[in-house]
Amino acid sequence: MKVIKTIEELRPIIKAWRKEGQSVGLVPTMGYLHEGHKSLIVKAAAENDRVVVSDFVNPTQFGVNEDLASYPRDIARDARVCEEAGADLIFHPEPEEMYFRDSCTFVNMGKLTEGLCGKTRPTHFQGVCTVVCKLFHIVAPDKAYFGQKDAQQLAVIRRMVRDLNFDIEIVGCPIVREEDGLAMSSRNTYLDDAERAAALILHKSLMLGKEMIGQGEHDAAKIKEAIMQNIKSEPLARIDYVEIVNPDTMENVDTVEGAALIAMAVYIGKTRLIDNIVIVNDKNKCRLL
Amino acid sequence: MKVIKTIEELRPIIKAWRKEGQSVGLVPTMGYLHEGHKSLIVKAAAENDRVVVSDFVNPTQFGVNEDLASYPRDIARDARVCEEAGADLIFHPEPEEMYFRDSCTFVNMGKLTEGLCGKTRPTHFQGVCTVVCKLFHIVAPDKAYFGQKDAQQLAVIRRMVRDLNFDIEIVGCPIVREEDGLAMSSRNTYLDDAERAAALILHKSLMLGKEMIGQGEHDAAKIKEAIMQNIKSEPLARIDYVEIVNPDTMENVDTVEGAALIAMAVYIGKTRLIDNIVIVNDKNKCRLL
């Protein structure tokens, strides 16, 4: 697997592909790739002539007290995953390659970034939007692939692409889960055995929400309250947020009609995990999207 | 001259050019084109196979009490200027084509935007950066042309392109002046005869600054003071700012060494005009850039 470290090396490779009329898919990641990432790369490889995986732990999307230093990294393993999944190259820059010391330009978004993860992590989405904007300019892909696991990020990127007229199609891909329901995450590696067992409470309480809606409960406040009570039954869990929102605008909904996103962030010990489901509730039929 | 109003119509035209291997130059303007704009288009036509002129009075770069409503517009005349200068098409969207009602993504810049025009017009450069970013995504040019007249804007765009990794070359072009020295500006049309005469004070006081530096004065504070006194001798003039700064970073300089930008904004009656010169002061030789 070719691992490219600089923008200067990457651009001519992509331009040569373009010149041959080949389409390019981009899978932006922070590395430590798991089955969720792999599903994005496989999809990108199926839909494009060429696939670039960016593998960059972006410092600007971490807050000062967050886990930037401890975030897991393993480029050798990532290269094997990319190889298997059908990527053409990994773009793996150092932070100094991506940011000048006097960088002062940022992409900011209002509204969609104010609640959910944006409330707890106030500079996070500025970091995400700015680095994704940069990666889009560096790689110039036709399509870019993001996981539904980061539901707010996916909505934010879609909005950025719309508002700033990027000529790029954003493809959202379903959450990949462990057999017992835990959503795949690079941060799962932080969990000890007891925490790993406790972490199931996220998916279980999302399923509780789905069940309530399936049984005819449409009052978002009641569903949210039941989910929160369920999470609180797990001693190792501490709720950051549970919200029921419109999946495109991230605005709270009072009543679950049409599509609704149930999203949560929960600390299991010191590890902050996120998970979500999108419920489509049409004409008394309730299904997961 | 082809005038295109929508992004949907524009994109396939540019993609067809690209497919034939043609290079594309973009000249972003707010219309009401004068000889300064024309010089940008002529240069773009000399350096690219195809030239797009965007002609859009961008509402988001005007403050609430500024001249958005009265800003002069004449698309028929603009089309003639573009024809003569060698453009291939004009992109002339309505504001609703450029902005969704719920647009919430912005490109922001610190540092370079804080002084000079950014001080008096605090939301101006957010508007400029955001619309230029959008135009860059819509047109995807190889090169984009900006006048040195808006010196801070030129520095801001260069920085945005560097920080966000746009693969676009920014070409700065010299100020075009009337025979008597007044810098060409669409806003000159606001001036009555007395104001038109008074407006010469901008260029005259820049020339005074140049003369002082040529005579060996390197103290920025003294040069600035002499320029301000000179402007104050004109009863119709009211100073917004006079600054001597590094032309790349827009930081104030104490001593004029190497390249320095002398920039000013001056109200002549109700009309706010800007002008500037870049002085290069190397080894006792002083010249205009």
Side-chain angles (χ1 to χ4, degrees), chain A residues 176-196:
Chain A
V176 178
R177 298 182 180 280
E178 304 285 355
E179 275 192 22
D180 60 5
L182 179 67
M184 299 265 183
S185 166
S186 306
R187 288 189 172 98
N188 291 348
T189 187
Y190 296 146
L191 304 170
D192 67 24
D193 288 352
E195 289 168 344
R196 174 65 183 77

Side-chain angles (χ1 to χ4, degrees), chain A residues 36 39-41 43-44 145-149 154 158 171-176:
Chain A
S39 74
L40 302 177
I41 303 169
K43 189 166 173 67
Y145 297 77
F146 294 86
Q148 175 63 30
K149 162 79 170 347
L154 178 57
R158 284 193 198 285
V171 182
C173 300
I175 297 176
V176 178

Side-chain angles (χ1 to χ4, degrees), chain B residues 212-272:
Chain B
M212 288 177 74
I213 296 165
Q215 286 166 4
E217 180 60 70
H218 297 165
D219 183 329
K222 284 187 186 160
I223 300 162
K224 187 172 146 175
E225 183 54 31
I227 290 174
M228 291 178 78
Q229 286 308 325
N230 196 245
I231 298 170
K232 284 177 186 166
S233 72
E234 169 52 60
L236 290 178
R238 180 168 60 82
I239 295 170
D240 178 6
Y241 69 78
V242 175
E243 299 291 355
I244 306 181
V245 299
N246 176 307
D248 297 321
T249 65
M250 298 290 124
E251 287 170 330
N252 286 315
V253 298
D254 296 329
T255 308
V256 176
E257 283 168 341
L261 172 74
I262 310 181
M264 58 177 58
V266 177
Y267 288 92
I268 303 293
K270 285 183 177 170
T271 303
R272 184 176 174 278

Side-chain angles (χ1 to χ4, degrees), chain B:
Chain B
M1 178 57 37
K2 195 177 272 182
V3 179
I4 303 280
K5 309 272 289 175
T6 69
I7 298 164
E8 200 185 342
E9 284 171 278
L10 182 60
R11 280 206 158 117
I13 297 173
I14 293 171
K15 282 184 182 169
W17 293 344
R18 287 262 161 239
K19 214 167 177 178
E20 292 168 19
Q22 297 185 331
S23 61
V24 179
L26 170 66
V27 184
T29 82
M30 297 213 301
Y32 213 73
L33 305 179
H34 51 63
E35 290 296 318
H37 298 110
K38 197 172 172 181
S39 74
L40 303 177
I41 303 168
V42 167
K43 190 166 172 66
E47 296 184 351
N48 300 273
D49 299 318
R50 298 288 188 170
V51 175
V52 175
V53 176
S54 64
D55 187 315
F56 177 58
V57 181
N58 173 37
T60 68
Q61 70 193 69
F62 287 79
V64 279
N65 294 317
E66 293 179 6
D67 59 341
L68 173 61
S70 62
Y71 197 86
R73 292 157 167 93
D74 188 344
I75 186 69
R77 208 191 62 162
D78 289 349
R80 289 195 298 274
V81 174
C82 287
E83 186 84 52
E84 282 169 28
D88 291 89
L89 66 81
I90 299 180
F91 177 51
H92 181 54
E94 296 297 321
E96 306 77 55
E97 176 68 10
M98 288 296 281
Y99 297 104
F100 289 89
R101 254 204 282 200
D102 59 352
S103 287
C104 57
T105 314
F106 302 97
V107 180
N108 288 106
M109 190 180 295
K111 295 177 188 167
L112 282 78
T113 64
E114 286 159 15
L116 289 78
C117 290
K119 206 164 185 174
T120 321
R121 311 183 72 189
T123 61
H124 175 65
F125 287 110
Q126 174 179 285
V128 168
C129 286
T130 304
V131 80
V132 170
C133 178
K134 287 162 67 70
L135 289 168
F136 283 179
H137 292 156
I138 293 166
V139 177
D142 300 279
K143 297 184 181 188
Y145 297 77
F146 294 86
Q148 175 62 31
K149 162 78 170 351
D150 298 284
Q152 189 176 16
Q153 172 178 277
L154 178 58
V156 163
I157 298 297
R158 285 192 197 284
R159 180 60 70 100
M160 177 181 82
V161 163
R162 189 202 73 165
D163 283 355
L164 297 183
N165 306 99
F166 280 98
D167 193 14
I168 297 172
E169 184 187 331
I170 301 303
V171 182
C173 301
I175 296 175
V176 178
R177 298 182 180 281
E178 304 284 355
E179 274 192 22
D180 60 5
L182 180 67
M184 299 264 182
S185 166
S186 306
R187 289 189 170 98
N188 291 347
T189 188
Y190 296 148
L191 304 170
D192 67 23
D193 289 352
E195 290 168 343
R196 174 65 183 76
L200 290 178
I201 197 66
L202 282 87
H203 184 239
K204 278 184 191 160
S205 34
L206 288 169
M207 288 301 104
L208 171 67
K210 173 177 179 282
E211 204 180 305
M212 288 177 74
I213 296 165
Q215 286 166 4
E217 180 60 70
H218 297 165
D219 183 329
K222 284 187 186 160
I223 300 162
K224 187 172 146 175
E225 183 54 31
I227 290 174
M228 291 178 78
Q229 286 308 325
N230 196 245
I231 298 170
K232 284 177 186 166
S233 72
E234 169 52 60
L236 290 178
R238 180 168 60 82
I239 295 170
D240 178 6
Y241 69 78
V242 175
E243 299 291 355
I244 306 181
V245 299
N246 176 307
D248 297 321
T249 65
M250 298 290 124
E251 287 170 330
N252 286 315
V253 298
D254 296 329
T255 308
V256 176
E257 283 168 341
L261 172 74
I262 310 181
M264 58 177 58
V266 177
Y267 288 92
I268 303 293
K270 285 183 177 170
T271 303
R272 184 176 174 278
L273 299 177
I274 58 174
D275 201 351
N276 69 83
I277 52 173
V278 178
I279 298 270
V280 181
N281 185 30
D282 292 326
K283 298 187 179 148
N284 301 320
K285 282 187 190 171
C286 166
R287 60 189 169 86
L288 282 180
L289 196 68

Side-chain angles (χ1 to χ4, degrees), chain A residues 186-223:
Chain A
S186 306
R187 288 189 172 98
N188 291 348
T189 187
Y190 296 146
L191 304 170
D192 67 24
D193 288 352
E195 289 168 344
R196 174 65 183 77
L200 290 179
I201 197 66
L202 282 87
H203 183 239
K204 278 184 192 160
S205 34
L206 288 168
M207 288 301 104
L208 171 67
K210 174 177 179 281
E211 204 180 304
M212 287 177 75
I213 296 166
Q215 287 166 3
E217 180 60 70
H218 296 167
D219 183 328
K222 284 187 187 162
I223 300 162

Side-chain angles (χ1 to χ4, degrees), chain A residues 7 11 15 100 102-110 134 137-138 159-160 162-167, chain B residues 7 11 15 100 102-110 134 137-138 159 162-167:
Chain A
I7 298 163
R11 280 206 158 118
K15 282 183 182 169
F100 289 89
D102 58 353
S103 287
C104 57
T105 314
F106 302 97
V107 180
N108 288 108
M109 189 178 296
K134 287 163 67 70
H137 292 156
I138 292 166
R159 180 61 69 98
M160 177 180 84
R162 189 202 74 166
D163 283 355
L164 297 184
N165 306 99
F166 280 97
D167 193 14
Chain B
I7 298 164
R11 280 206 158 117
K15 282 184 182 169
F100 289 89
D102 59 352
S103 287
C104 57
T105 314
F106 302 97
V107 180
N108 288 106
M109 190 180 295
K134 287 162 67 70
H137 292 156
I138 293 166
R159 180 60 70 100
R162 189 202 73 165
D163 283 355
L164 297 183
N165 306 99
F166 280 98
D167 193 14

